[in-house]
Amino acid sequence: MAIVRHLAKDSAKFSKTAPIRKRASRSLTKVVLRLVATLFLASLVDFLVINVLPGSPGQVILGTQATPQRVAELNKKLGLDAPLFHQYITWVTGLLTLNFGRSYSSGARVAPDIRQALQITLPLIVGGLVLGIAMALPLAFLIYRTSKTRISIGITLFLDAGVSTPSFIIGLVLTYIFAVRYTLLPASGFTFWSTSISGAIKSLIMPALSLGLVEAAIISRYAKHLIEEVMNTPYVDAARLRGRRDTWIFLHHGLRNITAPLLTVIGLEASGLLVGAVVVENVFGLPGLGTLLLNAVENRDLILVQDIVMLAVTVVTTINLLVDLSYRHIQPQLRQEIL
Amino acid sequence: MTTSSDLQVAKRSTADVRLVIGLTIVFCVISISLLALIWTPYPALKVSVGPSLAPISLSHPFGTDVYGRDVLSRVMAGGLPVIESCVLALVVSVPFGVFLGTLSAWMKDTVVDFAVSLVIDTLYGFPALLLAITLVTVLGASTFVAAISVGIAFIPSVARVIRIRTRAIIGRGFITLARTYGYSRRSITLGHLLPNLIGTIVNQAMLGASLTVLATAALSYLGLGTPPPTPTWGEMIQEAQGYVNVDPKLLIVPAVFVAATIFGFNLLADHFSSKQKRARR
């Protein structure tokens, strides 16, 4: 009897769930609530990791040898003697008004530093992404056109290797080729936009290329599936019957139809690009967000670490949520591939 | 999905090639790292075992670095923290990920599912390297901290995949049948579900290992991973960066080891994911 009731309950649940879930995903309020809840939890994790794990920030800044008295003094100076809850509220309300607090080491506001660093990191990430897509689509189409031949196997192997090479290693190899062997581009450093726009672009080419090559390898693997799929649709067959060539069809029909799922794939790469940028900036000595973060780690400037991590997590979480929403654009087969 | 039989044969053979190459690479990396525990051609930490920046020769197959340390010995010894990190990260991510994934799949549309999803979504926002950098800032750099943080960061990926696969399996007849026999969810999970999830779990474990190698190499390159004096591939790359115009092979050797190890794990992951897809058809 109990089993029957159990099963009845289960089946009732199954029959009910599908429409409810669909409605839920359509409701914008629920999405926003989910985003807010996730970001709230993320900010708690970020805050607690920095402030609660062994010892107070004062202790971490001064090191283990410091006397408790000095730690207490520093904590008081930095406003870290207030109750944790109070500190958290101050920090979060500050973030919401883009007031990122004051540096523990220099006492200056950190917001201008972050803003300046973003002037490098954002173009770097966007540049890497654009280069990645620009290389991925032709490659993926080439694989499709040459499928089941040695060329496609060769390209696929090359891409597999590209996926496996960390972007900082690609960056170092590029440095060797373009800065050491042939002194075409600067090996490190950044010329600011205000000084010389062409100089800035020059110093961003190699870093963006290192990110872009890895992205190209990753994106083209998915793009290959998407292209195969779109080129098997009836409207492509119809276009072929009208005598159009595959390249023309791909440019006029295919590209438009793979854009939505492609954006989803690119969204999945958000965290990869961000993390890649952190390391690549270090390779090329670019004073971007990654360098700012690593300097903060070195100087024990915990508030800056906390801020930058939260900034990155906010971006990644938001994009992840958008990706989740866009899954309905993707064909079921590909969904399994990605998840 | 109609595929001709020859095509399937062709697919199967490429999948097997992946398995063979992947296993070979991973096996080689593991064995030379373990060998480094008992034997390396020269002591990995000892300076001036040969001339500074010696070229490739019989006595120094990969040459020596600027301090006259044998590169082969250092690369071998540098494999150890990699293997150690992979094991640690997988011990953290796989059990927790599988537990959370199956739990939320069984508890679909309940408060538990909602809570687990929220936790997964939250953790998913922390990229592995970023979480590692944060934890290293507070706890100090060590192999343990680096590996554990990568493991934690990988939990949500495992949980998500396991949840989707579990939901699909739970909908099938043999699970319903087991329920009518009166088996509890726990015994069904252990007896019926997990055997069907093995492929997915191995696939995720391999992806996790590949991510761990990547993240720990980046961390030790940044000086936030395994602390010196233990040689690591990332640290060797970082040291070689300064001498790249004098001796590029110092950079190439550890870089090839990092890329090859990641490649090996990726091939294994690919093999297990394509195997699953065939099984599903």
Side-chain angles (χ1 to χ4, degrees):
Chain A
M1 197 51 205
I3 298 162
V4 174
R5 224 184 301 133
H6 215 68
L7 280 177
K9 215 167 72 191
D10 257 17
S11 66
K13 218 191 296 170
F14 273 119
S15 63
K16 215 166 47 179
T17 50
I20 288 180
R21 280 197 75 78
K22 258 189 189 159
R23 249 180 284 148
S25 68
R26 281 196 202 119
S27 142
L28 191 68
T29 14
K30 281 204 172 162
V31 172
V32 174
L33 278 180
R34 195 174 139 198
L35 180 64
V36 170
T38 315
L39 285 179
F40 167 68
L41 270 182
S43 69
L44 265 186
V45 170
D46 186 19
F47 179 80
L48 291 179
V49 163
I50 297 274
N51 291 286
V52 172
L53 281 180
S56 56
Q59 184 94 56
V60 176
I61 293 165
L62 293 173
T64 41
Q65 259 90 47
T67 59
Q69 217 176 345
R70 284 197 54 204
V71 173
E73 264 170 36
L74 186 70
N75 278 346
K76 190 157 187 187
K77 203 181 117 204
L78 298 173
L80 296 169
D81 54 343
L84 266 186
F85 175 73
H86 186 78
Q87 286 182 45
Y88 174 75
I89 296 293
T90 318
W91 176 60
V92 169
T93 45
L95 285 189
L96 292 176
T97 53
L98 294 183
N99 173 10
F100 292 92
R102 285 174 179 280
S103 159
Y104 285 175
S105 53
S106 71
R109 290 194 173 279
V110 293
D113 288 348
I114 292 179
R115 209 173 303 135
Q116 196 178 36
L118 280 176
Q119 287 178 17
I120 298 162
T121 305
L122 279 184
L124 171 61
I125 290 179
V126 172
L129 194 58
V130 169
L131 284 176
I133 298 169
M135 288 182 276
L137 285 178
L139 270 177
F141 189 65
L142 192 64
I143 296 178
Y144 165 74
R145 281 306 300 274
T146 57
S147 59
K148 295 183 200 84
T149 66
R150 284 205 187 128
I151 300 174
S152 92
I153 293 171
I155 299 175
T156 311
L157 256 177
F158 182 71
L159 291 179
D160 280 351
V163 169
S164 309
T165 315
S167 47
F168 71 96
I169 291 182
I170 295 188
L172 289 169
V173 174
L174 288 179
T175 316
Y176 179 68
I177 299 171
F178 291 112
V180 177
R181 266 297 171 86
Y182 311 98
T183 43
L184 294 171
L185 293 165
S188 80
F190 186 72
T191 317
F192 257 88
W193 297 98
S194 49
T195 318
S196 145
I197 290 180
S198 67
I201 292 175
K202 250 188 177 174
S203 41
L204 280 177
I205 290 179
M206 272 202 292
L209 200 59
S210 350
L211 288 180
L213 282 169
V214 178
E215 289 312 310
I218 295 171
I219 294 172
S220 59
R221 286 173 123 205
Y222 293 122
K224 183 184 78 179
H225 289 282
L226 292 172
I227 290 175
E228 265 167 19
E229 211 166 281
V230 81
M231 296 308 273
N232 274 329
T233 49
Y235 60 81
V236 170
D237 284 340
R240 280 199 189 109
L241 287 176
R242 289 201 304 273
R244 294 296 190 184
R245 304 182 60 144
D246 266 13
T247 317
W248 188 93
I249 298 173
F250 175 65
L251 289 176
H252 286 77
H253 298 299
L255 210 50
R256 192 174 299 177
N257 282 291
I258 64 168
T259 311
L262 203 60
L263 280 178
T264 305
V265 172
I266 291 164
L268 283 170
E269 279 308 304
S271 67
L273 267 168
L274 220 97
V275 162
V278 170
V279 193
V280 164
E281 275 173 12
N282 197 272
V283 174
F284 290 98
L286 295 176
L289 212 54
T291 310
L292 195 62
L293 174 65
L294 293 169
N295 285 340
V297 169
E298 210 162 290
N299 299 331
R300 306 254 154 239
D301 205 341
L302 297 180
I303 186 79
L304 195 48
V305 176
Q306 196 175 314
D307 282 340
I308 296 176
V309 168
M310 195 57 220
L311 201 66
V313 170
T314 307
V315 172
V316 174
T317 306
T318 312
I319 294 177
N320 280 344
L321 202 71
L322 292 176
V323 168
D324 266 10
L325 286 177
S326 68
Y327 266 139
R328 58 189 140 162
H329 287 297
I330 297 192
Q331 304 292 320
Q333 296 103 305
L334 194 81
R335 192 163 18 184
Q336 277 173 353
E337 182 94 9
I338 290 170
L339 284 174
Chain B
M1 273 286 158
T2 49
T3 32
S4 72
S5 57
D6 344 54
L7 201 70
Q8 272 182 348
V9 170
K11 266 189 184 163
R12 191 163 305 155
S13 68
T14 52
D16 285 344
V17 168
R18 284 196 188 126
L19 179 68
V20 170
I21 301 178
L23 271 182
T24 315
I25 294 175
V26 171
F27 178 77
C28 286
V29 169
I30 293 177
S31 46
I32 64 153
S33 312
L34 293 183
L35 180 64
L37 271 179
I38 48 171
W39 178 83
T40 47
Y42 298 87
L45 301 178
K46 202 174 166 202
V47 296
S48 309
V49 294
S52 175
L53 298 174
I56 290 170
S57 65
L58 268 183
S59 52
H60 299 286
F62 290 148
T64 59
D65 69 5
V66 72
Y67 303 110
R69 293 175 295 194
D70 182 52
V71 173
L72 175 64
S73 310
R74 289 179 69 73
V75 156
M76 285 172 70
L80 266 176
V82 172
I83 306 299
E84 203 184 323
S85 310
C86 285
V87 172
L88 271 172
L90 292 185
V91 164
V92 172
S93 58
V94 171
F96 277 102
V98 171
F99 175 72
L100 289 177
T102 47
L103 180 72
S104 82
W106 277 115
M107 298 291 180
K108 199 178 162 188
D109 294 317
T110 64
V111 183
V112 179
D113 182 23
F114 179 73
V116 171
S117 304
L118 207 58
V119 170
I120 292 175
D121 281 353
T122 306
L123 270 183
Y124 208 53
F126 286 85
L129 196 71
L130 212 57
L131 190 64
I133 290 178
T134 319
L135 284 173
V136 162
T137 314
V138 187
L139 299 174
S142 72
T143 313
F144 184 78
V145 173
I148 295 293
S149 23
V150 176
I152 294 175
F154 194 60
I155 292 176
S157 313
V158 182
R160 283 178 152 214
V161 178
I162 293 291
R163 175 170 58 188
I164 288 166
R165 289 291 301 136
T166 308
R167 277 187 183 168
I169 295 172
I170 284 175
R172 280 162 65 182
F174 67 98
I175 301 285
T176 320
L177 185 67
R179 293 300 300 276
T180 57
Y181 281 160
Y183 287 123
S184 68
R185 285 175 177 176
R186 198 177 62 191
S187 65
I188 293 178
T189 305
L190 294 176
H192 299 265
L193 201 55
L194 282 185
N196 280 287
L197 285 173
I198 284 292
T200 313
I201 293 173
V202 175
N203 167 253
Q204 285 300 306
M206 292 303 116
L207 282 180
S210 141
L211 176 78
T212 313
V213 180
L214 173 68
T216 50
L219 275 174
S220 50
Y221 171 77
L222 297 172
L224 300 173
T226 309
T230 314
T232 55
W233 297 339
E235 184 221 330
M236 292 176 73
I237 293 173
Q238 197 270 327
E239 270 176 18
Q241 195 179 350
Y243 304 99
V244 74
N245 47 352
V246 189
D247 193 354
K249 92 176 168 306
L250 282 182
L251 171 69
I252 293 166
V253 172
V256 164
F257 269 80
V258 172
T261 313
I262 297 174
F263 187 46
F265 281 124
N266 279 347
L267 283 177
L268 290 181
D270 278 359
H271 169 78
F272 283 101
S273 79
S274 55
K275 207 170 144 192
Q276 269 171 58
K277 253 175 260 146
R278 267 207 313 277
R280 251 177 261 156
R281 265 175 209 146

